Amino acid sequence: AAGVIQSPRHLIKEKRETATLKCYPIPRHDTVYWYQQGPGQDPQFLISFYEKMQSDKGSIPDRFSAQQFSDYHSELNMSSLELGDSALYFCASSLVSGNEQYFGPGTRLTVT
Amino acid sequence: SQQGEEDPQALSIQEGENATMNCSYKTSINNLQWYRQNSGRGLVHLILIRSNEREKHSGRLRVTLDTSKKSSSLLITASRAADTASYFCATVRISSGSARQLTFGSGTQLTVLP
């Protein structure tokens, strides 16, 4: 069965650079979530989209933005990167009517 | 953690033993879910228990929920070395939007020794 795809899997950037993370949800899933997991931390909700519209916002810095496109894939754009942005970034998808979220393998971002 | 604490933070047991992990949360919930994460990998959904349920089973997993105490426990019976992972509880509220964001607890690192 198709799973959530994230790209790239690993990304190394320098401070003040910009990064774009991509997420391809499971086909026919209408909701996408982004989570950030710092080293040794629990995942923190960043933002979610339902049917290409932003539906909820969590602890997402103003330097970050995200959108969901017509093909339902989503991108998380991160600007003016800071060392503290180094983390695993997970995308998850679900049906809005469902409760289970299916997580992608994550993108490991390292900011140097 | 925004959610609360998981107890214990780390647990080491022998293969064949049972492992019990506890989770507390702070808000009213729609449901509570348990996820598993192998080191540096994605999260895998294990089991979901709704706020009107008290106990649920799935294979070697048993989950309980006490909404009056805002706590849940996950029991893994007859543990195997392959169960070694971090286990997170996550709660879902119905938010003002249509999505159902997960709020995670701080996780328990389970090590099952062969």
Side-chain angles (χ1 to χ4, degrees):
Chain A
V4 176
I5 297 171
Q6 289 188 248
S7 68
R9 293 293 308 278
H10 301 271
L11 190 57
I12 299 174
K13 291 285 186 177
E14 295 188 354
K15 280 196 307 183
R16 292 180 289 277
E17 285 192 319
T18 297
T20 297
L21 278 54
K22 297 185 178 183
C23 168
Y24 298 85
I26 292 172
R28 290 186 294 280
H29 279 191
D30 50 25
T31 306
V32 168
Y33 308 80
W34 285 96
Y35 294 87
Q36 177 193 57
Q37 186 179 29
Q41 304 294 311
D42 52 288
Q44 298 286 322
F45 170 72
L46 292 177
I47 195 167
S48 62
F49 293 87
Y50 167 63
E51 283 292 339
K52 293 157 279 184
M53 299 287 289
Q54 181 184 309
S55 57
D56 272 303
K57 209 170 181 180
S59 51
I60 183 169
D62 292 340
R63 299 177 289 108
F64 294 6
S65 65
Q67 56 182 322
Q68 188 177 27
F69 295 86
S70 58
D71 64 352
Y72 290 91
H73 95 271
S74 179
E75 294 184 4
L76 178 66
N77 298 294
M78 310 158 70
S79 63
S80 303
L81 287 169
E82 302 173 356
L83 295 177
D85 296 329
S86 295
L88 267 171
Y89 290 84
F90 290 106
C91 171
S93 74
S94 74
L95 290 168
V96 72
S97 57
N99 289 295
E100 182 176 344
Q101 294 182 22
Y102 295 82
F103 281 78
T107 294
R108 182 174 293 282
L109 173 67
T110 302
V111 181
T112 61
Chain B
S1 167
Q2 294 181 3
Q3 172 61 358
E5 294 302 315
E6 288 198 36
D7 166 34
Q9 291 188 343
L11 179 61
S12 184
I13 59 174
Q14 294 293 134
E15 220 169 14
E17 293 182 335
N18 296 341
T20 299
M21 289 160 273
N22 302 297
C23 162
S24 62
Y25 57 92
K26 296 176 180 175
T27 62
S28 297
I29 62 171
N30 175 276
N31 64 71
L32 184 144
Q33 303 176 35
W34 285 88
Y35 284 80
R36 167 199 166 117
Q37 183 180 35
N38 286 67
S39 180
R41 308 284 290 275
L43 292 132
V44 176
H45 182 268
L46 294 176
I47 193 167
L48 178 152
I49 186 165
R50 300 184 190 281
S51 59
N52 61 353
E53 297 176 312
R54 292 296 166 260
E55 187 171 313
K56 201 160 184 181
H57 298 255
S58 175
R60 294 185 295 114
L61 305 179
R62 172 177 169 257
V63 170
T64 63
L65 179 65
D66 187 336
T67 52
S68 65
K69 296 180 180 177
K70 290 188 166 57
S71 67
S72 174
S73 69
L74 171 68
L75 168 68
I76 303 175
T77 60
S79 63
R80 306 166 182 167
D83 293 330
T84 295
S86 291
Y87 292 82
F88 293 90
C89 71
T91 55
V92 174
R93 293 185 299 163
I94 300 295
S95 60
S96 56
S98 52
R100 301 179 182 187
Q101 65 190 70
L102 293 170
T103 302
F104 285 87
S106 53
T108 294
Q109 173 60 50
L110 173 66
T111 302
V112 181
L113 303 169

